[in-house]
Amino acid sequence: MVLLGATLAFYAAIVWAVVATSWLVRLDWQVMFFRPYQQWPELHAFVDYYVVLGQRGPTAVMVAAWLGWRSWRQHTLRPLLALGVSLLLLNVTVGAAKYGMGRLGPHYATEIGSNEMWLGGDIFPSGHTANAVVTWGILAYLASTPRARRWLSALSAVTSLGVGLSTVYIGTHWLSDVLLGWAAGLLILLALPWFEPLIQRAEARILAVRDRLRDRRGAKAPAPAPAGRPVVVRPLTERAADPVHEPVPAGRAARSPVYLAPGPHTSRAERSPVTPAGSRRPQHTDRHPRGTTPAPRP
């Protein structure tokens, strides 16, 4: 609670200093005229890639993939739900502050020394900085051991600090935008424990819906077919013996086996020939019977 109160006081002090066009606004203009991207141009290529760590889309995908794997391993939806709640709070609070104060950025400033407030901009506080604090800080918030929490807290602090200074380097934000972005992201992480009961209720409802769907699919599954007549496997000694025919009940005529033709079985000699009588060879007029001398050829 002390840290939350101190962060709220810092947030309010930054807003008041900018609205009152105090020394902080003069510092913003001095940094802007210093043009860090011209002082150290060799860092520009690296900063262009490093600032992506504060963009909401890529960072949300990376962190969601890691927390999704943790949810699968731990059989709980709390990591993913905590990330979703934190991003929702970030969009609502930071978005409302951006459009409510409407400050223009350094590249669109209209008057030297002005605070550029309520001119239709969306730069105050810095969304990149606040997103870096929340997205990487949620990993420390969900850490399972105190040591991992300390290391991840330091890593997220350094990452968000670097992202904020990168936006000042390339000239897309005032220095006061970055200060307010750090405070806005930290406020979301400090307020997240109050949303734990909501996260637990959402998890219980989602799991209950999943269980009902599983039960419904199980009820619609077809019943297994009844087992047929069991096949009795006899030993080899019984198979070699002569088959024993079951007696035919009275009043029922005996039937021939299925492999014999219907009707009375006749012997081979009594069957009618299936081929026509006589030789199958065609008649040849130029051939002579055996034992006769053929006529001499001319």
Side-chain angles (χ1 to χ4, degrees):
M1 293 300 297
V2 173
L3 186 57
L4 180 64
T7 307
L8 277 173
F10 181 77
Y11 189 100
I14 295 297
V15 174
W16 177 85
V18 173
V19 172
T21 315
S22 65
W23 61 270
L24 186 57
V25 175
R26 293 194 297 270
L27 180 61
D28 287 339
W29 281 98
Q30 289 174 1
V31 173
M32 192 271 286
F33 284 131
F34 181 69
R35 290 181 175 85
Y37 58 89
Q38 291 183 355
Q39 302 296 328
W40 303 288
E42 63 275 4
L43 298 178
H44 206 291
F46 170 76
V47 172
D48 282 342
Y49 287 102
Y50 187 84
V51 79
V52 177
L53 295 177
Q55 289 186 1
R56 194 161 307 166
T59 55
V61 170
M62 290 187 290
V63 175
W66 168 253
L67 295 182
W69 180 81
R70 279 192 56 184
S71 297
W72 177 73
R73 287 292 302 271
Q74 299 175 357
H75 303 284
T76 178
L77 296 177
R78 179 175 173 263
L80 287 177
L81 292 177
L83 175 63
V85 170
S86 63
L87 292 180
L88 180 61
L89 292 175
L90 176 67
N91 291 333
V92 171
T93 58
V94 175
K98 278 176 173 289
Y99 291 103
M101 289 181 279
R103 190 183 190 188
L104 292 176
H107 294 313
Y108 303 97
T110 58
E111 183 181 352
I112 297 177
S114 171
N115 58 12
E116 303 296 325
M117 296 284 286
W118 298 293
L119 295 177
D122 56 351
I123 206 81
F124 187 63
S126 171
H128 275 68
T129 306
N131 182 73
V133 174
V134 172
T135 306
W136 302 112
I138 196 69
L139 299 179
Y141 176 81
L142 296 172
S144 55
T145 61
R147 182 179 180 182
R149 185 175 296 111
R150 287 193 298 268
W151 280 101
L152 289 174
S153 298
L155 179 62
S156 61
V158 171
T159 303
S160 59
L161 178 65
V163 169
L165 294 180
S166 297
T167 60
V168 175
Y169 169 85
I170 59 181
T172 58
H173 279 287
W174 305 101
L175 180 61
S176 56
D177 298 343
V178 174
L179 296 177
L180 196 65
W182 285 332
L186 184 58
L187 283 176
I188 293 173
L189 291 179
L190 293 175
L192 199 57
W194 287 333
F195 293 88
E196 285 293 340
L198 176 63
I199 292 174
Q200 293 177 2
R201 289 195 297 269
E203 181 183 13
R205 291 184 180 181
I206 293 174
L207 294 179
V209 171
R210 183 200 64 180
D211 294 339
R212 285 198 298 268
L213 292 177
R214 285 182 177 179
D215 296 341
R216 189 175 302 174
R217 285 198 299 265
K220 291 182 179 180
R229 184 177 177 182
V231 179
V232 179
V233 181
R234 297 180 300 168
L236 294 176
T237 55
E238 298 184 9
R239 295 182 194 177
D242 294 334
V244 180
H245 299 281
E246 297 180 359
V248 180
R252 180 179 175 185
R255 292 183 299 177
S256 302
V258 294
Y259 56 82
L260 296 180
H265 186 63
T266 57
S267 62
R268 185 178 182 87
E270 297 176 357
R271 297 177 189 174
S272 57
V274 295
T275 56
S279 176
R280 298 182 183 178
R281 298 179 179 178
Q283 297 294 332
H284 297 277
T285 56
D286 57 342
R287 294 185 179 180
H288 300 275
R290 294 181 179 180
T292 59
T293 304
R297 293 183 181 181

